[in-house]
Amino acid sequence: MKCLLSGTCLFVLALFGSAGAADLSLKDAKVGESPKGWTATHTGTGKGSVWKIVEDKESPDGGKALAQVSGEGSGGFFNLCVADETTVKDVDLTVSFKATAGKEDQGGGPVWRFKDANNYYIARMNPLEDNFRLYKVVGGKRSQLGSTDVEAEAGKWHTIRIKHDGNHVECFLNDKLQLDVTDDAFQEAGKIGLWTKADAQTRFAGIKVKGKK
């Protein structure tokens, strides 16, 4: 087992041949700081994408969460925070999220097969619109791959799970399969991260990853 201690975040990666499992713990993170071992970036132009550790008594991760705290983003500005040490292709990814604020947009979700800030997959839940969607961002342009109407109340914790094998993507919300899509845009391993849109201020915790390069 290989363990990487990177300041505010403890990232544990267990390798079994070409397969691996990772569990991000925020229990030792420092509240109010940007997490080391992660990179805040964005798609589009404008202000925003400020990520910090916050206290949350209901968090599934020891009472702490990684949150996008800026309300300055607007339009097609996407807030991103990417785990530097992750490189996974076929993946089983789980993350819990709680939408806390945002007039233009709310919610968010995980990013995977992330190549750079303009190329990645994203699945997100938006409590303002009551829908759960899968997108790909190619060359900075977002294209919808699937959508379903479903409720996930703001101010409460919910769970998104992604299973991506080859070109087959399954997206679950609160343990229920909601989207089943095939797509060939990104066929190589990439990083894992978190995403919100515009002024969406959302907390994330309980990030768990199984996969292979």
Side-chain angles (χ1 to χ4, degrees), residues 43-151:
T43 306
T45 58
K47 296 181 179 180
S49 201
V50 178
W51 297 81
K52 294 183 179 181
I53 299 297
V54 299
E55 290 182 337
D56 190 313
K57 294 180 180 179
E58 298 176 342
S59 166
D61 210 344
K64 297 177 183 178
L66 175 53
Q68 200 296 113
V69 298
S70 173
E72 294 190 71
S74 63
F77 184 89
F78 304 151
N79 309 284
L80 288 159
C81 195
V82 181
D84 298 330
E85 299 295 334
T86 54
T87 305
V88 182
K89 180 185 176 182
D90 295 332
V91 65
D92 187 340
L93 165 64
T94 301
V95 61
S96 295
F97 74 98
K98 179 166 78 171
T100 60
K103 294 181 179 180
E104 183 177 332
D105 216 275
Q106 286 188 10
V111 166
W112 66 99
R113 293 194 186 179
F114 176 95
K115 180 179 179 181
D116 55 41
N118 291 313
N119 297 278
Y120 52 87
Y121 286 110
I122 161 67
R124 70 95 177 108
M125 172 65 203
N126 186 346
L128 288 179
E129 299 177 0
D130 288 333
N131 57 43
F132 183 44
R133 291 178 175 175
L134 171 65
Y135 295 94
K136 59 182 175 183
V137 177
V138 180
K141 181 179 179 180
R142 186 177 64 162
S143 300
Q144 183 175 300
L145 298 174
S147 178
T148 187
D149 294 334
V150 61
E151 294 184 3

